[in-house]
Amino acid sequence: MKRFICLSLFVIMAVAAMAQNHGFLNVDQDNRIESLIAKQRLLQRIDSSFNGYRVHVFMEIGNEALQHAEEVKKQFEKAFPDIPIYLTYVEPYFRLRAGNFRNRVEAEQCLRRIKPRFKEAFVTADMIYRPKINAN
């Protein structure tokens, strides 16, 4: 029995000693992996939007809607220069939506800041822009 225990310990220690390579790891990978990574980066540059949340500030229809939207946008940018705002046209409405929030909690926090100045504001799901990724 002692021999078995000693032999087992010897085998375990030998395997552990061979497994150590001083913190280095060599990875052999197919060249196509780099090609796929490059394609993914290109796709992210082309379409950098994904599902998220924004604060809806303004929506109007009619002949003067664009002019009103631009006025409200200027007011918003003056009051909240740190929050990006986007003017869009989705037939038949001109809309102003602010921010790029990954989750509703972040959008609600922003809404609390905006609501005193823009009483009609509310949180809505929208396509938002991805943060820029530094390629190193």
Side-chain angles (χ1 to χ4, degrees), residues 11-57:
V11 170
I12 291 172
M13 290 172 36
V15 169
M18 290 188 316
Q20 293 180 358
N21 60 1
H22 305 289
F24 295 103
L25 177 66
N26 291 326
V27 177
D28 291 327
Q29 70 180 16
D30 193 322
N31 291 336
R32 293 177 292 179
I33 292 175
E34 284 300 322
S35 174
L36 287 173
I37 291 171
K39 286 179 183 179
Q40 181 65 31
R41 286 183 181 149
L42 177 63
L43 286 173
Q44 285 181 345
R45 273 184 246 141
I46 292 170
D47 182 14
S48 61
S49 61
F50 66 102
N51 291 326
Y53 295 89
R54 287 198 170 135
V55 176
H56 183 92
V57 177

Side-chain angles (χ1 to χ4, degrees), residues 2-106:
K2 277 186 172 182
R3 282 186 160 175
F4 178 74
I5 293 173
C6 289
L7 183 60
S8 297
L9 287 173
F10 177 77
V11 170
I12 291 172
M13 290 172 36
V15 169
M18 290 188 316
Q20 293 180 358
N21 60 1
H22 305 289
F24 295 103
L25 177 66
N26 291 326
V27 177
D28 291 327
Q29 70 180 16
D30 193 322
N31 291 336
R32 293 177 292 179
I33 292 175
E34 284 300 322
S35 174
L36 287 173
I37 291 171
K39 286 179 183 179
Q40 181 65 31
R41 286 183 181 149
L42 177 63
L43 286 173
Q44 285 181 345
R45 273 184 246 141
I46 292 170
D47 182 14
S48 61
S49 61
F50 66 102
N51 291 326
Y53 295 89
R54 287 198 170 135
V55 176
H56 183 92
V57 177
F58 173 89
M59 181 171 66
E60 190 172 302
I61 186 174
N63 295 336
E64 306 296 319
L66 178 58
Q67 182 180 349
H68 291 158
E70 289 174 344
E71 290 170 7
V72 172
K73 184 178 181 195
K74 286 178 187 173
Q75 292 171 7
F76 186 91
E77 289 172 332
K78 187 176 180 183
F80 305 101
D82 59 321
I83 303 172
I85 187 161
Y86 305 96
L87 172 60
T88 59
Y89 177 73
V90 178
E91 194 173 351
Y93 298 101
F94 286 94
R95 301 186 307 195
L96 287 173
R97 292 184 174 178
N100 291 303
F101 305 105
R102 292 176 181 251
N103 59 57
R104 189 170 191 94
V105 173
E106 292 174 355

Side-chain angles (χ1 to χ4, degrees), residues 103-118:
N103 59 57
R104 189 170 191 94
V105 173
E106 292 174 355
E108 293 286 347
Q109 289 172 347
C110 183
L111 177 64
R112 284 193 286 277
R113 283 183 58 200
I114 293 172
K115 196 80 165 169
R117 299 285 299 263
F118 297 91

